[in-house]
Amino acid sequence: QVRLVESGGGTIQPGGSLRLACAASGVANNWYTMAWFRQSPGKTREGVAAIGPDGQTDYSDTVKGRFTISKDNLKVTVFLRMDSLKPEDTAMYYCAFRGISLPYSSRLREDEYYYWGQGTQVIVSS
């Protein structure tokens, strides 16, 4: 059973930066896809960034150029560096895991992921 634990959320002023982390346990090997999703009140969950076993990354248009996803295979941890934060980035951020290499076109689809963390709250406000 894969378990995901997110950390790093908080309150930040517009234009600031945060780095989220998601530590995975119970992972059998390095051939996996991990992603970050977010959900604001009243909105559907949105895929933000994903990274495959080959290190290939994918981003939603709303965060491209501002957010960077990376991973540490040794620690089985994925990171989300968020720069130039805007109030509309305020959301609960969730980490997701799938134990295969998802097709590039599917990596930001919520229904492709079997394991989810509990989420970490990010508030961007002055």
Side-chain angles (χ1 to χ4, degrees), residues 2-125:
V2 174
R3 182 169 177 258
L4 305 173
V5 178
E6 301 102 331
S7 62
T11 301
I12 190 80
Q13 290 188 342
S17 298
L18 278 177
R19 189 177 84 151
L20 307 182
C22 173
S25 58
V27 175
N29 54 57
N30 286 336
W31 201 251
Y32 56 82
T33 306
M34 291 185 74
W36 287 96
F37 288 76
R38 67 184 182 186
Q39 188 168 21
S40 305
K43 295 187 177 181
T44 57
R45 195 173 295 189
E46 171 194 19
V48 172
I51 187 165
D54 53 1
Q56 188 178 23
T57 58
D58 189 21
Y59 299 93
S60 68
D61 289 340
T62 56
V63 306
K64 196 171 294 183
R66 300 188 298 122
F67 289 12
T68 304
I69 189 170
S70 61
K71 65 176 179 174
D72 182 332
N73 276 333
L74 191 62
K75 298 180 179 179
V76 197
T77 299
V78 66
F79 304 96
L80 185 68
R81 170 76 181 191
M82 306 185 293
D83 296 315
S84 303
L85 282 162
K86 305 175 182 179
E88 50 265 43
D89 294 318
T90 295
M92 185 71 80
Y93 283 72
Y94 298 92
C95 177
F97 177 96
R98 181 77 185 270
I100 62 171
S101 177
L102 286 171
Y104 184 79
S105 60
S106 302
R107 291 181 178 179
L108 294 180
R109 287 182 50 177
E110 180 180 2
D111 58 358
E112 292 286 355
Y113 291 88
Y114 290 174
Y115 299 98
W116 293 84
Q118 293 299 307
T120 185
Q121 181 72 49
V122 172
I123 298 173
V124 184
S125 174

